[in-house]
Amino acid sequence: MDEIRKKMQKLEEKVRHHQYLYYVKNSPEISDMEFDQLFKELQKLEEANPGYSSPNSPTKVVGSDLDNRFEKFTHKIPVLSLENTYNIAELNEWIQKTGIEHKYSIEWKIDGASIVLYYEKGELTKGVTRGTGGVGDDVTENIRTIKNIPLKLKEPLTIYVRGEVYMGFQDFEKLNESFGGKFANPRNLAAGTIKYKNSIQVTKRPLKIFTYDGYIPEGKVSKNSDMLEIMKKNLLPVSEDICFAKGKDIPDVIADFQKKKDALDYPVDGLVIKLDDISLRTKLGTTSHSPRWARAFKFDAIMKETTIINIDFAVGRTGKITPRANVEPIQLAGTTVKYATLHNQDYINELGVGIGAKVKVAKRGEIIPAVEKVIEPGPSGVFQLPQDCPACKTKLVKVDDSVDLFCPNKKCPDREKNSLIFFCQKKQMDIEGLGEKQVALLYDKKFIRSVVDLYDLYKKKDELMELEGFGKKSVEIILKGIEDSKQKDFKVVLPSLGLSEVGHKVTEILIENGFDDIDKIIEQAKSENPMESLLEIHGLGPRTVDSLIKNFTDKDVLKTIEKLKKAGLKFKAQVVKKSDFKPFENQSWCVTGSFENFQPRDKALEIITHYGGKKVSSVSSKTTHLLAGEAGGSKIKKAKELGVQIVNEKEFLEMLKEYGITL
Ligand code: IVH
């Protein structure tokens, strides 16, 4: 049973992680369908093991887009999500249950960012993101810049309106062109733009809105169709394409919508089917995640048929083995696709796929193409991943209960090569002249085995110039690139080492919290109780802390660091000089709630750390002060229990004034 609990916790963490990538980072790494599969797997496990299901499971709350740079706004109505269906059979089951004779609306599911507009007596007062569904980010200033959002309604209505902010394809393409194609798709750009801190920047982005739902606290509207009419009359942009039909006719209406989809100038990722009658809606109610009176019908991504010629493997720098199908080339969403991922053995088994199989390949949301369906299984049966690493023949292992296989050999040539490629790439040390191809060649020709060797390469200048394609000039560029990389700050050096969980964000958090020197980190990892103070740091969870300790007590890692230090790399951050005046010295501050003068509230903590204090993310016996703003939560209770001094905003401002610190 413990195994199941563990599996559920892992799955919860995974779902949350992908929600974060989608809603906060606007940069998803898996397709909607893959996400929904994870989500449904968790739902199933929770149904079968209700005792293990946590009250904050992502199946019970909507995916949060909250971002601590914005002021929070408590929604006046629960802002729920939708349950997704992917095929007509699934949808029909719901229609049968809900009522085939009832009237439903069928409308586009626009692919953008969810927003609630609050109008009081006809005036737009707030524009708020969905957030957690209960509390959202106040992005009013940005919302005001969107041209088709009326700032004033025709009537003095108090109405709460839900809508989707989006960017049209043409507008997106024009804009993306001027940025050298750096944005992945209009959805991510629209969702990212409404979270800009500078609303002047937002005015430069051609955002639009479609509104689809309204709530009038004092009104008695009995049909959603009537509500949409009221909204239209008040200049709120409602889609012209909304159709109404009886339950039994929905499949035909869907077929019509699907024919029109490709001609649309804005992104949609499906349809939404909703009961029209409000009293029926109320009767059916909602779950904490989504209404029972509506369903999303998600469109399949464009899929093309092809044949698997071969299956090979990538051995990543962490040792993870990813099987990859080499397919007969096909044209998909504007590119030629020759490879499609097969993720892992579980995925292969589920599909029942092998070499020679006729398959359908899809590319969703600009993500790596994947084999999605099998039309005819191959003649050689279901493919089995090898037991040994394809690169070094070491026996592959499973780590924890991950579905992936790993090569545990740190000296595996593919792992070494990919670690080197990672170290040199743009997002990391950005070493000029050392792209993927060059690094692979230098590795294959045995010039380099690890990042340490890069810094000895200058000794082999003459031999390098003998290499095919490596003239005098390119060797000079490479050697200069390597030399210049010694000037890169610690905040770049550390994540470039590719240690698990030690990316840019974690490095930044460490530095901000005083771990601005590798020796301090190593010392902490080696200390008697290394977990405690690391866990207090805001933004470091138990998994990260565990990895940090493992990494910085690992002999090989320490040896590499030592050698790189000798080579001249920076292992101390260039910290902005802290004040010599330290009124907060020996104090440990935690923060809760929101503040009028410190937005985001981290600004208050910055002052504290600048003037000698420490910031912590949770209240513990070591915390000396809790800075409590509006609507502070459980931290206040904990602080009271532990006798931690609670300071409100006014008192904090007075404190600063007393110390002569100006904002
Ligand atoms: S109805 C309670 N209608 O899809 C009502 N949502 O995946 C729930 N969306 O959060 C929403 N177009 O951001 C509805 N025509 C539409 C929509 C739509 C896009 C978004 C919305 C929602 C998400 C759920």
Side-chain angles (χ1 to χ4, degrees), residues 585-599:
E585 193 160 29
N586 298 325
Q587 294 179 6
S588 178
W589 285 69
C590 185
V591 66
T592 184
S594 54
F595 299 84
E596 208 182 309
N597 294 281
F598 308 99
Q599 284 174 27

Side-chain angles (χ1 to χ4, degrees), residues 542-559:
R543 198 171 77 181
T544 310
V545 169
D546 196 48
S547 276
L548 282 171
I549 296 169
K550 275 194 193 128
N551 280 322
F552 295 107
T553 49
D554 181 297
K555 270 195 207 125
D556 292 332
V557 173
L558 296 182
K559 244 192 244 163

Side-chain angles (χ1 to χ4, degrees), residues 81-82 107-110 114 130 162 164 212 272 274 291:
S81 187
L82 285 168
E107 59 199 89
W108 296 117
K109 183 170 180 326
I110 301 112
S114 203
R130 190 175 77 180
R162 282 197 65 176
E164 194 82 355
Y212 52 73
V272 187
K274 302 172 186 167

Side-chain angles (χ1 to χ4, degrees), residues 22-23 62 78-84 106-115 130 162-165 210-213 239 242 269-274 281 286 289-291 293-294 296 298:
Y22 184 88
Y23 289 114
V62 303
V79 188
L80 298 176
S81 187
L82 285 168
E83 190 162 320
N84 289 335
I106 300 102
E107 59 199 89
W108 296 117
K109 183 170 180 326
I110 301 112
D111 202 8
S114 203
I115 284 291
R130 190 175 77 180
R162 282 197 65 176
E164 194 82 355
V165 168
F210 267 125
T211 56
Y212 52 73
D213 195 34
S239 165
I242 301 185
D269 59 342
L271 296 169
V272 187
I273 295 97
K274 302 172 186 167
R281 287 186 177 189
T286 70
H289 173 268
S290 47
W293 42 261
K298 301 267 279 193

Side-chain angles (χ1 to χ4, degrees), residues 1-16 38 41-54 57-60 401:
M1 263 323 198
D2 246 15
E3 283 300 301
I4 295 186
R5 188 198 289 263
K6 249 199 204 155
K7 187 168 178 187
M8 285 168 69
Q9 273 170 356
K10 280 250 160 82
L11 204 51
E12 251 186 54
E13 221 173 272
K14 212 165 171 181
V15 169
R16 248 185 229 118
L38 291 176
E41 193 185 337
L42 179 60
Q43 251 173 348
K44 263 197 204 153
L45 284 171
E46 285 174 346
E47 272 161 30
N49 308 281
Y52 287 171
S53 148
S54 84
S57 160
T59 63
K60 300 196 183 100
D401 58 352

